Amino acid sequence: MANDNATGNAPAPRRYHRTVADGLRLQVTHYAPAADTGDRRPVVCLAGLTRNGRDFEVLANALAHGAEPRHVYAIDMRGRGGSDFDPDWRRYTIAAETGDTIDVMTAEQLDHVAIIGTSRGGLIAMALMAAQPTRAAAIALNDIGPVIEIEGLARIAGYVGKLPKPDTWPEAVALCKQMAQRDFPNVTDEEWAAIARQWFNEEDGTPTSAYDPAIAQTFAVSADGIPELWPQFEAVTPVPVLSIRGARSDLLSAETVARMAERHPRLTTHTVPDEGHAPLLRDQNTISVIGKWLAATD
C-alpha cells in the first residue's frame, strides 16, 4: 500500500463549509498544490453511501503534491463526515446529493472538472452529467456501474446503521478490520488504524459514527435488486471514463465492466487485485493509474 505522497513543504488540506440550497452546511476539503498547476483540470471526489471525503486523503495528497499537481476537492455529502445531518431522512437521495454537488461546485466556480466517484458517488456523477453535462470533462467510477449486484446490495443493507459503537479507537480499528478484512486481506494494522480515522468521526477523543444512522431508512433492498442503470450510464459516454473495479467486488462484476466497454469507446479499465468493494485508492499502482489517466484527459 502507498503512503501519503505529500512532502513536508506541502500545504495542509483546508477544511471549510459551503451552504447548499436548503440551508445545510457541507464540509469541503481542498487540497491545494504548492506548485503551478498549468492547465491541469481540478478533481472533485465523491464518496460512497456511508463514507466521506477522508476516503480520498491518500489519493488527493498524491494528486495535489505529485509531479503534475492539481487542485483536489473532496465533498462530504449531507449526513456524512463533517457535514450537517439532514433533519428529514427522506432527503438522503441521489437527487438531493446531486443538487448539493452542483451547489458546491458553483460556489467553488468549478466547471469541466474530473470527478472521482466511489460507489454512490459514481451514481451522483452520472446524475450530475445528465443534469449539467458541461460540469465534468472526465469521470472515474470506483466500483460502480449500470448493473449493481444484489449480493453486494444485501451485504451493505446488513450493516448500514447497525454497527456497534466502539468506545475507544483500538475498538474502532478492530471493528473496521473485522468487518472488511475478508475483502482487503493485504491491509496492514497500521493502515487499519488510518482507515478507522476515515470511517469514524471523533468526538471528545472517542470514535463516533461518521454518518447519520437515519440513512439506513432510505436503503431498502428488494429481492429483485434495483433496475439496471444503462440510461444513466449514457450520460457519461460523451467524456472519458475510468472504470476501477476491485477484483473481489460483490457490487460490480467483471461482466458489467465488459458491457460498459462495449458501450463506451473511451472507457479505460483498471482492476485492483485483492480488494473488494470499494477499492481504497491507497495503493501506489492505482494512484499511478489515476494520475496518468487524468493527465491523458487534460
Side-chain angles (χ1 to χ4, degrees), residues 61-221:
N61 274 311
L63 295 178
H65 309 305
E68 298 182 319
R70 64 182 72 234
H71 290 270
V72 182
Y73 299 82
I75 304 172
D76 291 356
M77 288 295 133
R78 58 180 61 210
R80 287 84 157 182
S83 294
D84 290 345
F85 286 11
D86 197 317
D88 184 354
W89 62 266
R90 296 172 188 82
R91 289 196 289 258
Y92 289 127
T93 65
I94 289 175
E97 290 158 25
T98 300
D100 292 345
T101 304
I102 292 171
D103 287 349
V104 171
M105 291 177 65
T106 299
E108 300 293 342
Q109 298 182 327
L110 293 172
D111 282 297
H112 299 95
V113 302
I115 295 178
I116 300 175
T118 294
S119 195
R120 184 182 180 98
L123 298 180
I124 293 170
M126 291 188 220
L128 185 147
M129 285 294 288
Q132 296 191 2
T134 63
R135 283 287 184 176
I139 304 286
L141 300 174
N142 184 23
D143 219 58
I144 194 68
V147 180
I148 301 174
E149 302 299 324
I150 188 144
E151 177 186 355
L153 283 173
R155 178 182 55 78
I156 294 169
Y159 73 75
V160 174
K162 302 172 185 176
L163 292 178
K165 180 188 179 302
D167 293 322
T168 66
W169 279 108
E171 288 182 12
V173 174
L175 180 60
C176 291
K177 186 174 180 179
Q178 175 187 353
M179 182 174 65
Q181 188 174 32
R182 186 192 71 170
D183 289 329
F184 301 96
N186 294 333
V187 173
T188 66
D189 287 345
E190 181 182 3
E191 286 178 310
W192 281 123
I195 290 167
R197 296 279 177 169
Q198 296 173 195
W199 294 1
F200 287 92
N201 284 351
E202 183 174 72
E203 186 174 323
D204 297 327
T206 61
T208 186
S209 177
Y211 66 92
D212 184 351
I215 289 172
Q217 298 184 65
T218 71
F219 194 75
V221 180

Side-chain angles (χ1 to χ4, degrees), residues 275-296:
E275 292 199 6
H277 182 79
L280 301 172
L281 308 182
R282 297 172 64 90
D283 67 284
Q284 187 57 54
N285 185 42
T286 300
I287 290 172
S288 177
V289 166
I290 293 172
K292 291 177 181 177
W293 173 78
L294 286 169

